[in-house]
Every structure is written in structure tokens, then in C-alpha cells.
Amino acid sequence: MGTSNIADKVVVITGASSGIGASTATLLARHGAKVVLAARRKDRLDAAVQEIAAAGGQAISVAVDVTKRAEVEALIRAAVDSFGRVDVLVNNAGIMPIAPIEALKVEEWDLQIDVNIKGVLYGVAAVLPHMQKQKSGHIINLASVFGIKVFAPGGTVYCATKSAVRALTEGLRMELHAHNIRCTMVSPGAVATELPESSSEEATRKHLREFYKMAMPANAIASAIAYAIEQPADVEIDEIVIRPTAQDF
Ligand SMILES: NC(=O)c1ccc[n+]([C@@H]2O[C@H](COP(=O)([O-])OP(=O)(O)OC[C@H]3O[C@@H](n4cnc5c(N)ncnc54)[C@H](OP(=O)(O)O)[C@@H]3O)[C@@H](O)[C@H]2O)c1
């Protein structure tokens, strides 16, 4: 396996059943990381774990709904039980149900806040005591270019959640450097994943599929995450913004 700074690191990835999370798990395992894949669709996770193992890598899967704090705590416990520590947490699970505010999809507003913001916070709460004890760690949060610019009508609540992830990551960085814990925010533009399918209206999904025709592949983001992890321990990559060349905002 690899000889980089990634080799032998224990990396927990939420939202690893598809898209960016799945691609990141595969890439990091190829570099010799011990990967813990988490999401709700256990069958998908198990298939990915098998593929990683067949290629000579090490991985386990844990069924987790990140909106449930106890499940996120159990995820980190499973990582520590299996591999002895957690070096990196990639808070990647996210949803993007696009709809105008006037449609009043309040349940979808709640769910975005629960997954995109509270899920990240539950990850931090679960992993922090371990990283403090280790006196080292790395928290990588997936924000979005929509955390930098607002896309409306349609993305108002999603943008607010990603803006929150941005503020949280900056605050975490300021608070956790004293514990030798690195914090990185990755803000992608359009990435070809299942994300546009999380909108509830078929017309919106169709529109998004059209928009996503210029999307970049998920491994573009996986490479950026690997880059942040492989830096020497005294070098912290704070922010990475990555767009498809063809995307104007
Ligand atoms: N694709 C883009 O254009 C883009 C751009 C900027 C930022 N991002 C961000 O990148 C991250 C990954 O998204 P993606 O594009 O790879 O989308 P994706 O293919 O839809 O993947 C989303 C992942 O999140 C998981 N997830 C959703 N709800 C969950 C929950 N309650 N508990 C646990 N896991 C949950 C899904 O797994 P299960 O359904 O199996 O639970 C899935 O593995 C998200 O935070 C997204 O906001 C994506």
C-alpha cells in the first residue's frame, strides 16, 4: 500500500454510499488509509468495502443516520474499536432538496438543517474527545460554492446550511489548533453525483440534471481531500474551492 502521509491513517467518512464520499473512500484506501464508511444504505457501503478489500485495502462499514446523535457516537466508537483511533473525520453526508421558499417545504428545511448542519456537529462532538486524547486529528467538512454565493430562488435554505458549515469550520479551526487538530473546508461546484436527485419535484430534478451536464467527476473532490490529508502535520489546508472549468458561479 501507499507510503504517503495518508497510509495507515484511520479515516471516517460520512455519506460514503455514493458520490464524493464513495470516491474519497476508494482513493484513500488505495493510498493505504484504514477507511470507515458510513451512511444509511448499508448494502451500498458493504459493496464498497468488498471492492476495497479485493484491491488489498482495509475498510469497514457502519450504518448511520447522521441526524441521530447516538448513531454518530456509535460510528466513532466502531472506528476506534476496529482500528484503535480516528485520525480524520470527513463530514460529507449532505442533501440538497431544491425548491422556492414560497413552496413552504418546511420538512425539507428541517431535514437540511438536521443533515447538513447538525450532522456535522454530531460528528465533531463524537470525534473530539478522541482527537483531544490523541493530541492530533483532522476534521474535513464539505461545504459548497453555494456556501459562498447564494443560489435563489431554490437554494436559499441549502445555501444557508452550507454557509453555516463555512462559519463552523472557521470557528473550529480557531478553537482546535491548540489541540493540534487540523480543520479543512472543501467547497465544490457542480459534481456529478446523486445530489440533484434529493429534490422532491421531478421538474426541479430535470432542471438540475440539465445544469449538471457540465459537472466534474467526484474523484476531483476526492483528490482535493487526499491533498489536504497528505500534508505534513504542521501544515493545515484551510479551504479548497473547486469548480468545473465550465461553471461560472
Ligand atoms: N454534488 C455536488 O454538486 C456538490 C457540490 C457542493 C457540495 N456538495 C456536498 O458534498 C457532499 C456529498 O454529496 P454528493 O454530491 O456526493 O451527493 P450524494 O451522491 O447524494 O451523496 C450524499 C451522501 O450523503 C448520505 N446521506 C444523506 N442523508 C444522510 C443521513 N441522514 N445520514 C447519513 N448519511 C446521509 C447519502 O447516503 P445514504 O442515502 O445511504 O444515507 C450519500 O452517501 C454533500 O455534503 C453535498 O452538499 C456536493
Side-chain angles (χ1 to χ4, degrees):
M1 278 292 141
T3 52
S4 72
N5 263 337
I6 298 172
D8 293 326
K9 280 192 174 156
V10 179
V11 185
V12 177
I13 305 172
T14 66
S17 60
S18 68
I20 294 167
S23 179
T24 302
T26 304
L27 181 66
L28 296 179
R30 210 184 304 141
H31 284 292
K34 297 166 183 162
V35 186
V36 180
L37 294 89
R40 291 164 304 172
R41 288 170 295 177
K42 185 79 161 60
D43 51 336
R44 294 261 207 129
L45 298 177
D46 289 341
V49 165
Q50 274 186 8
E51 273 181 37
I52 289 170
Q58 289 188 70
I60 60 165
S61 67
V62 184
V64 177
D65 180 340
V66 297
T67 68
K68 309 243 160 63
R69 184 175 171 199
E71 294 188 18
V72 180
E73 293 281 334
L75 163 65
I76 299 300
R77 265 201 314 277
V80 173
D81 288 349
S82 298
F83 296 125
R85 54 187 289 117
V86 178
D87 295 295
V88 186
L89 170 63
V90 185
N91 276 314
N92 167 75
I95 55 167
M96 185 184 74
I98 297 300
I101 283 292
E102 63 187 12
L104 296 184
K105 295 198 179 264
V106 179
E107 284 170 12
E108 291 183 359
W109 302 351
D110 282 343
L111 199 56
Q112 288 181 86
I113 290 164
D114 287 348
V115 177
N116 299 0
I117 304 177
K118 289 168 75 177
V120 170
L121 286 170
Y122 291 160
V124 171
V127 87
L128 197 50
H130 297 281
M131 290 183 172
Q132 281 175 312
K133 214 164 14 165
Q134 293 166 189
K135 296 188 170 52
S136 73
H138 193 170
I139 296 171
I140 301 178
N141 293 334
L142 267 291
S144 169
V145 294
F146 291 154
I148 302 168
K149 288 190 181 186
V150 174
F151 144 54
T156 299
V157 177
Y158 178 76
C159 293
T161 65
K162 291 303 184 178
S163 204
V165 171
R166 199 172 169 208
L168 284 170
T169 314
E170 177 67 357
L172 289 171
R173 185 187 68 75
M174 294 169 76
E175 293 204 47
L176 300 184
H177 75 100
H179 297 283
N180 194 34
I181 297 169
R182 303 189 291 182
C183 297
T184 300
M185 180 179 67
V186 180
S187 301
V191 186
T193 69
E194 296 174 15
L195 198 68
E197 303 303 321
S198 53
S199 294
S200 51
E201 304 290 336
E202 171 55 21
T204 306
R205 290 198 295 272
K206 216 171 134 191
H207 183 73
L208 285 169
R209 277 182 215 123
E210 203 52 43
F211 175 78
Y212 269 73
K213 280 190 173 152
M214 54 60 181
M216 60 195 155
N219 66 18
I221 311 305
S223 300
I225 291 170
Y227 172 75
I229 295 173
E230 76 189 356
Q231 298 308 307
D234 59 347
V235 176
E236 176 189 67
I237 303 296
D238 293 330
E239 296 189 19
I240 306 180
V241 183
I242 319 169
R243 286 182 177 83
T245 309
Q247 184 175 354
D248 60 347
F249 71 93

